[in-house]
């Protein structure tokens, strides 16, 4: 069976996930995590991808990336994946693949961007590893609230709209993440990612994909939920 083509639009954010083979551990220590982020930074710069957010879990990774060209995301992930796999096998005296197939990816509606970023930065809390997002040292949450920053991260235009000063944006973001997400929202983001489908509104799908909008979307059970502006909840 032919692989399903990814839906990638240059300049539009993508939610990306990679897992360890058989869900095995990808990061045994902080040195592993540090080198993965360093090489992510280098690959993104080399191939034209803007990284907005990340969450490094023991056996999988979530990223929020805007590719600037049609092949930027693929080249970024392939370069990073090969480089880290070689390091990991050498460092931990093993061989063979460390990845569970291809990376998953989901095109994100610009109006949903901040909600997807929240999903990523709350990942350690959602799975029960941490009680609070600030307790995790290996997500981008600290960077977005003025903590231990990863200066190479590029804030999305929707993040800039949270306030006129860095302090205002940090406070708005902290409040939005603290509020948490409803279960249906987490479920929709997860399902779209697992199936490599866009997480977009009906209106946005029709705008982007026109006559093919039905094939690009997932039809969720029950009444569609309306996503309100972050400005109205912070």
């Amino acid at each position: 069976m032919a692989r399903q083509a990814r839906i990638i639009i240059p300049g539009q954010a993508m939610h990306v996930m990679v897992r360890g083979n058989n869900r095995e551990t990808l990061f045994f220590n902080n040195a592993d995590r540090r080198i993965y982020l360093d090489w992510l930074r280098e690959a993104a710069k080399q191939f034209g991808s803007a990284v907005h957010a990340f969450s490094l879990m023991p056996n999988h990774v979530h990223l929020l990336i805007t590719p600037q060209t049609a092949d930027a995301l693929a080249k970024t992930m392939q370069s990073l994946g090969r480089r880290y796999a070689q390091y990991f096998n050498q460092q931990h005296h093993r061989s063979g693949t460390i990845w569970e197939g291809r990376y998953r990816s989901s095109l994100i509606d610009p109006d949903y961007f901040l909600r997807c970023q929240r999903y990523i930065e709350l990942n350690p809390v959602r799975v029960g590893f941490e009680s609070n997002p600030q307790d995790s040292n290996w997500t981008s949450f600290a960077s977005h609230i003025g903590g231990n920053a990863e200066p190479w991260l590029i804030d999305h235009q929707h993040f800039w709209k949270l306030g006129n000063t860095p302090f205002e944006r940090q406070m708005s973001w902290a409040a939005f993440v603290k509020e948490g997400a409803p279960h249906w929202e987490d479920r929709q983001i997860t399902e779209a990612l697992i199936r490599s489908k866009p997480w977009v509104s009906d209106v946005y799908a029709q705008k982007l994909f026109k006559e093919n909008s039905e094939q690009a979307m997932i039809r969720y059970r029950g009444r569609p939920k309306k996503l309100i502006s972050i400005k109205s909840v912070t």
Side-chain angles (χ1 to χ4, degrees), residues 15-16 33-34 36-37 40 51-57 60-65 116-117 119-124 136-144 148-153:
H15 182 188
V16 177
R33 297 179 181 91
R34 184 68 264 162
Y36 184 88
L37 287 182
L40 169 61
V51 182
H52 311 294
F54 66 86
S55 177
L56 304 189
M57 304 300 290
H60 68 280
V61 176
H62 285 274
L63 303 171
L64 194 52
I65 297 177
C116 186
Q117 181 169 301
Y119 173 97
I120 291 172
E121 294 183 355
L122 277 176
N123 196 231
S136 177
N137 295 322
W138 296 101
T139 76
S140 50
F141 181 70
S143 293
H144 290 130
N148 296 322
E150 298 286 342
W152 53 275
L153 291 176

Side-chain angles (χ1 to χ4, degrees), residues 38-208:
D38 288 346
W39 287 345
L40 169 61
R41 181 194 70 233
E42 292 178 11
K45 181 179 180 180
Q46 180 180 357
F47 297 110
S49 295
V51 182
H52 311 294
F54 66 86
S55 177
L56 304 189
M57 304 300 290
N59 65 0
H60 68 280
V61 176
H62 285 274
L63 303 171
L64 194 52
I65 297 177
T66 296
Q68 301 305 315
T69 62
D71 60 357
L73 179 62
K75 288 183 176 180
T76 297
M77 298 306 297
Q78 289 166 6
S79 174
L80 174 62
R82 286 195 296 265
R83 192 177 186 185
Y84 185 76
Q86 183 178 23
Y87 156 84
F88 186 87
N89 283 339
Q90 291 177 346
Q91 190 72 17
H92 301 293
H93 310 291
R94 63 181 307 282
S95 62
T97 184
I98 69 170
W99 306 113
E100 183 184 79
R102 296 198 303 165
Y103 62 89
R104 310 276 184 165
S105 63
S106 174
L107 181 77
I108 302 300
D109 189 317
D111 287 342
Y112 296 178
F113 176 89
L114 292 176
R115 294 175 180 274
C116 186
Q117 181 169 301
R118 176 172 66 180
Y119 173 97
I120 291 172
E121 294 183 355
L122 277 176
N123 196 231
V125 176
R126 188 168 51 255
V127 300
F129 282 4
E130 304 288 357
S131 299
N132 299 291
Q134 60 266 31
D135 294 335
S136 177
N137 295 322
W138 296 101
T139 76
S140 50
F141 181 70
S143 293
H144 290 130
I145 61 169
N148 296 322
E150 298 286 342
W152 53 275
L153 291 176
I154 299 174
D155 289 333
H156 192 270
Q157 60 180 334
H158 281 264
F159 187 85
W160 281 90
K161 292 178 181 179
L162 293 179
N164 294 322
T165 68
F167 180 77
E168 288 179 356
R169 292 190 288 272
Q170 292 160 11
M171 291 300 99
S172 293
W173 184 245
F176 186 61
V177 173
K178 183 179 180 180
E179 176 192 86
H183 175 71
W184 64 262
E185 183 177 293
D186 285 344
R187 179 177 58 82
Q188 286 191 6
I189 296 173
T190 300
E191 188 173 354
L193 181 63
I194 293 301
R195 295 174 63 179
S196 287
K197 290 283 191 176
W199 189 48
V200 296
S201 67
D202 290 351
V203 173
Y204 195 69
Q206 291 167 5
K207 175 183 176 182
L208 286 181

